[in-house]
């Protein structure tokens, strides 16, 4: 087994190198290796100081997250890194932590147990544990406030965002930034502090006293707002507060208690599922890492509307020159104006410099013709959702785009193969489905047509990462993964209205369940006219005699398109704040009575079950049809594209936590009440229940070779 930790000596400085690729996680054997090397260095009389550094691209990315499942299942003992960290802190010779890449979680905790920290210019430090549904568990909530002060430690532990090198030095977390040859600089620094009595972070209490209670109250308020439904940020605040009330060791005990409370929670399991899921979706069976995608250097976008404009911003944000084409000057001006406005808002918030905004705007080239398209490596069509229009555009692109260019469509529902049939290069046609607002939403659904080549898939997936998106591969069917599943979700939300639930009850129930917004609020945000156009396009596909929602088309006929018209399912004031609309409630009652639908009291639980299990049942069919590769692909799609709470893990993971037998029983109940056409359980769901398996087992089976 490769050596996880190496010890070397450069004259009077010992260098301990952690070499546990890919991110030097504190996997079993790493803390032990560091401790052994440290003891050796301390015992070596030639050594006056010690440097700890990571091999490869980073310092330490934290504890080994893969081990957490084994701790929760009892296979491994609970995390006890404290004694190991005390060994470092109590070293009689100064230990200098040389941090390049990331010192995250346990990585920063190791660093803070050292006596000095030097950083490479691009290094980052942070306690991202809350993003895994846990809190720092190795003294981070006790040592960080001693270095950075309580308010900053609260922010870093409760939000989990990293801090850049310059800020880390300014905050007192680190001592110096080393330019140039990093190891040589760290050794020189160690040599300079050798002989000085090492200062122990745990004894530096000067920044702890005098923090008003209001600081903690404000942090809790913010955590409740920003991380709704998540326990971990509040636990992190409790732990940092404990540092101001208890001595170091008692504080560590309180931290450990809170840490284990979080670790053994469903939230943490869900968030860890999402962490690895986000990485798993990038792996496409059959497309080996050998397929080397060519790099996209130039792009072009058809359409400067809401989607086209947002898509173009993604390319400019990634430093890729992009042409934006419209049919009329007025539409082009409006589109570019919205882009400029979006950037200006970000600059005003201090999240982007004016120089960066100017740079990005300079990468955008507005056009009314196809001039310049022959240089584009990828062309993205973001025109109106109409098949005839898209085919006309693709036929034109086939003529103007260079031979090796990728032709991508942002369609959210239409048949990729039919669009590709308008070209002579269907192997180069792919769906790149962005989500509105395209410059904000993290999900990119990459849709594979039957002719799309593996290289084009690999390029589109890699491009997703480059544009700061999480790319998920979907097969070609109506609505792909996300929109295919959301149709029954919206259907049930509307049926529940007809059966007696109010718009507010439906929205609030799903909001409390953890969705970013209720289904009818999402409909009003996206615009009811979008769905109306799709329903008209799909009318011929409807199965006769199957129940369909009765109210939404009537709202559209009245021009109620949602926020954009100030009224939809709800009414909206000039600040787009929603309020209930008695006219809609009356319309719903009238329509359902006319249809002879029985109206009754409906519980929040039934609202949640009908909507979420409609997702799960269709999700199982999406897996059966191979439209999604794995259940986790569906979870990632829903978390990054549809506002499904990450702490629920996504619809398929959630179903596993409820227990598939219980989910199936509830679906069969709905089938009995509402009929087979709407609620026949997916065969895969029945099969997994029969085998006593879960969707997670389904994915494992998928991963298993052969
Ligand atoms: N443990 C195990 N595997 C990890 C890992 C970790 N901490 N971090 C990354 N990996 C795997 C990852 O799954 C992927 O595997 C590969 O490494 C490359 O990662 C005690 C309790 C460091 C910024 O939350 O944020 O410490 O897919 O694709 O884009 O208080 O990884 O190749 O098989 O993300 O260059 C806290 C998590 C842990 C940091 C690098 N630490 N990692 O990003 O590569 S809890 C974190 C990251 C803890 C203590 C507590 C990122 C990165 P595979 P990658 P990247």
């Amino acid at each position: 087994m490769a050596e996880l930790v190496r010890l070397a000596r450069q004259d009077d400085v010992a260098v301990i190198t952690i070499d546990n690729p890919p991110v030097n996680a504190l996997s079993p054997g790493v803390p032990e290796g560091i401790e052994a090397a440290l003891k050796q260095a301390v015992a070596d009389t030639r050594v006056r100081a010690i440097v700890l550094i990571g091999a490869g691209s980073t310092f330490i990315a934290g504890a080994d997250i893969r081990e957490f499942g084994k701790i929760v299942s009892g296979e491994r003992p609970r995390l006890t890194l404290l004694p190991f960290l005390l060994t470092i802190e109590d070293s009689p010779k100064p230990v200098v932590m040389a941090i390049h890449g990331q010192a995250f979680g346990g990585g920063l905790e190791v660093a803070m147990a050292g006596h000095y920290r030097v950083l490479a210019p691009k290094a980052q430090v942070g306690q991202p544990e809350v993003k895994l549904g846990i809190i720092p568990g190795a003294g981070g909530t006790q040592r960080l406030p001693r270095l950075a002060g309580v308010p900053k430690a609260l922010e870093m532990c409760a939000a989990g965002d990293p801090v850049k090198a310059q800020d880390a030095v300014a905050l007192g977390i680190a001592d110096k930034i080393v330019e140039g040859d990093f190891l040589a600089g760290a050794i020189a620094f160690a040599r300079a502090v050798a002989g000085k009595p090492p200062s122990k972070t745990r004894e530096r209490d000067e920044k702890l006293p005098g923090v008003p209670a209001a600081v903690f109250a404000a942090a809790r308020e913010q955590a409740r707002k920003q991380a709704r439904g998540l326990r971990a940020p509040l636990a992190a605040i409790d732990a940092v507060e404990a540092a101001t009330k208890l001595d170091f060791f008692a504080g560590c005990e309180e931290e450990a208690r809170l840490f284990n409370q979080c670790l053994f929670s469903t939230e943490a399991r869900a968030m860890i599922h999402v962490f690895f899921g986000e990485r798993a979706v990038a792996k496409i069976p059959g497309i080996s890492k050998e397929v080397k995608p060519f790099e996209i250097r130039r792009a072009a976008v058809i359409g400067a509307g809401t989607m086209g404009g947002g898509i173009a911003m993604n390319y400019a944000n990634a430093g890729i020159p992009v042409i934006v084409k419209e049919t009329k000057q007025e539409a082009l001006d409006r589109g570019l104006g919205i882009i400029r406005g979006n950037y200006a808002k970000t600059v005003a918030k201090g999240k982007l410099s004016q120089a960066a905004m100017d740079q990005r705007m300079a990468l955008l080239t507005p056009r009314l013709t196809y001039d310049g398209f022959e240089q584009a490596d990828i062309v993205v069509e973001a025109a109106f959702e109409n098949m005839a229009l898209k085919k006309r555009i693709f036929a034109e692109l086939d003529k103007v785009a260079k031979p090796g260019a990728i032709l991508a469509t942002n369609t959210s529902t239409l048949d990729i193969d039919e669009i590709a049939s308008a070209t002579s290069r269907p192997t180069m046609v792919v769906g790149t489905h962005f989500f509105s607002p395209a410059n904000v939403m993290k999900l990119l659904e990459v849709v594979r047509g039957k002719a799309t080549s593996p290289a084009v898939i690999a390029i589109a997936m890699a491009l997703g990462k480059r544009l700061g998106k999480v790319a998920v591969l979907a097969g070609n069917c109506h609505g792909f993964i996300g929109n295919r599943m959301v149709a029954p979700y919206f259907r049930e939300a509307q049926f529940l209205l007809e059966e007696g639930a109010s718009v507010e009850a439906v929205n609030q129930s799903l909001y409390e369940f953890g969705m970013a917004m209720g289904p009818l609020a999402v409909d009003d945000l996206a615009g009811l006219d979008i769905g109306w156009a799709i329903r008209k396009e799909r009318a011929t596909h409807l199965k006769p005699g199957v129940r369909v929602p009765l109210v939404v088309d009537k709202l559209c006929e009245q021009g109620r398109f949602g926020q954009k018209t100030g009224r939809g399912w709800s009414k909206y004031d000039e600040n787009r704040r929603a309020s209930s609309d008695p006219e809609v409630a009356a319309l719903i009652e009238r329509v359902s009575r006319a249809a002879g639908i029985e109206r009754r009291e409906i519980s929040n639980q039934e609202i949640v079950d009908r909507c979420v299990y409609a997702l799960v049942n269709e999700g199982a069919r999406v897996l059966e049809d191979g439209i999604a590769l794995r259940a986790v692909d569906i979870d990632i799609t829903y978390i990054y594209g549809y506002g499904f709470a990450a702490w629920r893990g996504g619809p398929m993971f959630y179903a596993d936590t409820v227990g598939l037998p219980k989910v199936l029983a509830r679906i069969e109940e709905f089938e009995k009440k509402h009929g087979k056409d709407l609620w026949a359980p997916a065969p895969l769901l029945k099969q997994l229940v029969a085998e006593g398996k879960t969707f997670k087992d389904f994915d494992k089976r998928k991963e298993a070779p052969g």
Side-chain angles (χ1 to χ4, degrees):
M1 181 159 107
E3 229 185 344
L4 296 173
V5 178
R6 292 191 299 274
L7 173 64
R9 188 173 54 78
Q10 295 215 10
D11 302 330
D12 56 352
V13 175
V15 178
I16 299 175
T17 306
I18 305 155
D19 193 358
N20 181 26
V23 293
N24 293 329
L26 296 168
S27 314
V30 172
E32 296 80 359
I34 296 172
E35 196 159 343
L38 189 76
K39 286 189 174 140
Q40 231 179 305
V42 167
D44 184 338
T45 53
R46 296 163 298 177
V47 171
R48 298 178 55 241
I50 300 158
V51 169
L52 185 70
I53 194 165
S57 66
T58 189
F59 180 67
I60 301 171
D64 190 332
I65 304 169
R66 290 177 200 287
E67 294 294 309
F68 292 160
K70 298 172 191 157
I71 296 173
V72 171
S73 64
E75 246 175 282
R76 282 226 184 281
R78 295 190 174 197
L79 212 62
T80 50
L81 289 170
L82 192 58
F84 152 60
L85 297 181
L86 291 176
T87 307
I88 297 174
E89 199 164 47
D90 293 338
S91 158
K93 299 176 181 176
V95 179
V96 176
M97 299 293 173
I99 301 166
H100 72 299
Q102 297 89 14
F104 282 176
L108 180 55
E109 291 167 306
V110 168
M112 293 191 289
H115 307 113
Y116 301 93
R117 285 149 292 281
V118 296
L119 305 178
K122 289 216 174 334
Q124 292 184 312
V125 301
Q127 303 282 182
E129 286 88 343
V130 285
K131 296 181 193 248
L132 299 168
I134 56 177
I135 70 168
T141 62
Q142 306 305 303
R143 287 196 172 89
L144 187 57
R146 285 173 162 81
L147 292 180
V150 172
K152 190 64 190 179
L154 278 173
E155 184 196 310
M156 288 176 68
C157 293
D161 298 326
V163 166
K164 293 196 177 86
Q166 288 74 8
D167 301 333
V169 173
L171 287 161
I173 298 171
D175 302 280
K176 185 172 188 252
I177 291 184
V178 171
E179 306 280 354
D181 181 330
F182 185 57
L183 178 57
I187 291 172
F189 182 95
R191 198 160 283 133
V193 297
K196 286 191 194 153
S199 91
K200 301 178 182 181
T201 305
R202 73 170 185 269
E203 292 168 357
R204 296 170 60 174
D205 295 350
E206 62 277 9
K207 291 187 179 180
L208 295 179
V211 182
V215 170
F216 298 105
R220 289 190 174 93
E221 194 43 43
Q222 187 165 18
R224 285 196 190 94
K225 257 203 233 106
Q226 286 175 352
R228 187 170 60 88
L230 257 183
R231 169 206 330 242
L234 297 169
I237 294 166
D238 294 349
V240 173
E241 186 171 21
T244 65
K245 295 195 164 60
L246 307 169
D247 73 28
F248 176 78
F249 292 99
C252 284
E253 267 169 43
E254 175 60 3
E255 176 195 85
R257 185 185 68 77
L258 292 161
F259 170 79
N260 285 309
Q261 211 179 50
C262 290
L263 183 63
F264 286 77
S265 70
T266 308
E267 270 157 55
R269 272 197 311 122
M271 304 284 281
I272 291 167
H273 166 74
V274 174
F275 175 84
F276 287 119
E278 212 178 303
R279 284 141 185 91
V281 293
K283 299 172 181 133
I284 313 296
I287 297 192
S288 75
K289 285 210 176 98
E290 305 329 305
V291 174
K292 282 281 166 273
F294 70 70
E295 200 191 345
I296 303 283
R297 287 195 180 77
R298 285 179 169 282
V301 175
I302 304 274
T306 312
M307 292 310 292
I311 293 168
M313 284 179 76
N314 287 311
Y315 282 92
N317 295 349
I320 301 171
V322 54
I323 298 171
V324 186
K325 177 181 181 298
E326 257 296 351
T327 50
K328 296 197 179 61
Q329 189 61 47
E330 175 226 335
L332 199 51
D333 297 344
R334 191 175 46 244
L336 268 291
I338 290 170
I339 293 175
R340 193 172 293 105
N342 286 341
Y343 279 132
K345 271 193 228 127
T346 316
V347 170
K349 286 190 202 138
K351 292 197 177 141
L352 186 71
S353 68
Q354 187 58 49
M357 169 178 169
D358 300 343
Q359 210 180 17
R360 292 173 191 197
M361 287 303 295
L363 289 170
L364 296 162
T365 306
R367 280 263 187 283
L368 293 174
T369 65
Y370 282 118
D371 290 359
F373 271 61
E374 70 288 350
Q375 291 165 25
D377 299 308
I378 185 168
V379 181
V380 184
E381 165 275 315
F384 197 62
E385 194 72 347
N386 174 283
M387 183 56 88
L389 172 63
K390 290 184 189 289
K391 289 176 81 170
R392 200 168 54 246
I393 292 171
F394 271 71
E396 290 167 4
L397 290 176
D398 198 25
K399 296 196 186 72
V400 297
K402 65 182 177 185
I406 293 174
L407 304 183
T409 171
N410 181 56
T411 181
S412 57
T413 58
L414 299 177
D415 183 345
I416 303 292
D417 296 334
E418 190 176 344
I419 293 172
S421 69
T423 75
S424 61
R425 52 172 106 183
T427 59
M428 303 306 287
V429 175
V430 66
T432 56
H433 176 208
F434 291 80
F435 288 73
S436 180
N439 56 312
V440 177
M441 293 298 281
K442 258 189 111 175
L443 181 69
L444 177 66
E445 211 175 16
V446 172
V447 185
R448 171 174 17 205
K450 67 173 179 284
T452 309
S453 74
V456 168
I457 295 291
I459 293 165
M461 295 296 287
L463 178 65
K465 190 159 187 176
R466 188 155 162 226
L467 299 181
K469 306 294 182 191
V470 176
V472 174
L473 183 65
N476 182 30
C477 69
H478 182 73
F480 320 129
I481 298 175
N483 283 346
R484 172 174 160 175
M485 288 171 61
V486 91
Y489 171 80
F490 278 125
R491 176 198 76 201
E492 288 305 312
Q494 295 176 54
F495 284 168
L496 287 155
L497 297 178
E498 295 167 10
E499 295 162 31
S502 69
V503 168
E504 292 67 39
V506 171
N507 279 335
Q508 192 59 21
S509 303
L510 272 301
Y511 179 76
E512 282 165 13
F513 170 78
M515 301 302 284
M517 291 172 82
L520 305 164
V522 172
D523 220 4
D524 278 348
L525 176 70
L528 274 59
D529 50 332
I530 310 281
W532 202 21
I534 294 171
R535 282 192 301 280
K536 285 182 188 152
E537 181 106 8
R538 300 275 307 164
T540 52
H541 291 74
L542 287 177
K543 193 173 167 196
V546 176
R547 181 183 176 191
V548 291
L550 300 171
V551 176
V552 65
D553 286 356
K554 298 199 175 355
L555 293 179
C556 293
E557 284 148 17
Q558 295 174 4
R560 288 171 164 271
F561 296 147
Q563 289 194 11
K564 62 176 92 175
T565 57
R567 50 190 195 142
W569 291 105
S570 302
K571 273 193 300 199
Y572 295 87
D573 64 18
E574 61 285 356
N575 303 319
R576 298 204 169 210
R577 242 194 316 278
S579 59
S580 76
D581 189 333
E583 283 178 29
V584 174
L587 173 66
I588 294 169
E589 180 142 1
R590 217 172 31 253
V591 168
S592 59
R593 289 211 186 288
I597 295 170
E598 179 217 342
R599 294 179 60 76
R600 57 192 169 85
E601 280 303 308
I602 297 178
S603 69
N604 293 357
Q605 191 56 52
E606 178 181 346
I607 293 172
V608 169
D609 290 353
R610 293 261 297 266
C611 293
V612 175
Y613 291 167
L615 274 181
V616 173
N617 203 29
E618 191 60 28
R621 293 183 195 288
V622 160
L623 290 172
E624 285 160 17
D625 297 350
I627 298 296
L629 290 171
R630 297 155 288 234
V632 73
D633 291 50
I634 294 177
D635 289 334
I636 296 298
T637 295
Y638 264 76
I639 287 164
Y640 287 117
Y642 295 81
F644 201 102
W647 54 269
R648 293 274 189 195
M652 312 316 273
F653 181 89
Y654 170 68
D656 278 355
T657 59
V658 172
L660 297 191
K662 198 165 163 219
V663 173
L664 177 60
R666 191 73 161 135
I667 288 175
E668 285 168 340
E669 210 184 294
F670 294 149
E671 180 192 24
K672 224 185 260 106
K673 187 129 197 297
H674 301 288
K676 264 194 188 325
D677 290 319
L678 299 173
W679 280 103
L684 173 63
L685 179 58
K686 292 207 284 193
Q687 180 201 333
L688 290 173
V689 170
E691 296 168 354
K693 298 282 186 211
T694 64
F695 286 119
K696 201 166 182 71
D697 297 325
F698 174 87
D699 284 1
K700 281 200 193 115
R701 241 187 336 226
K702 277 266 167 162
E703 277 156 28

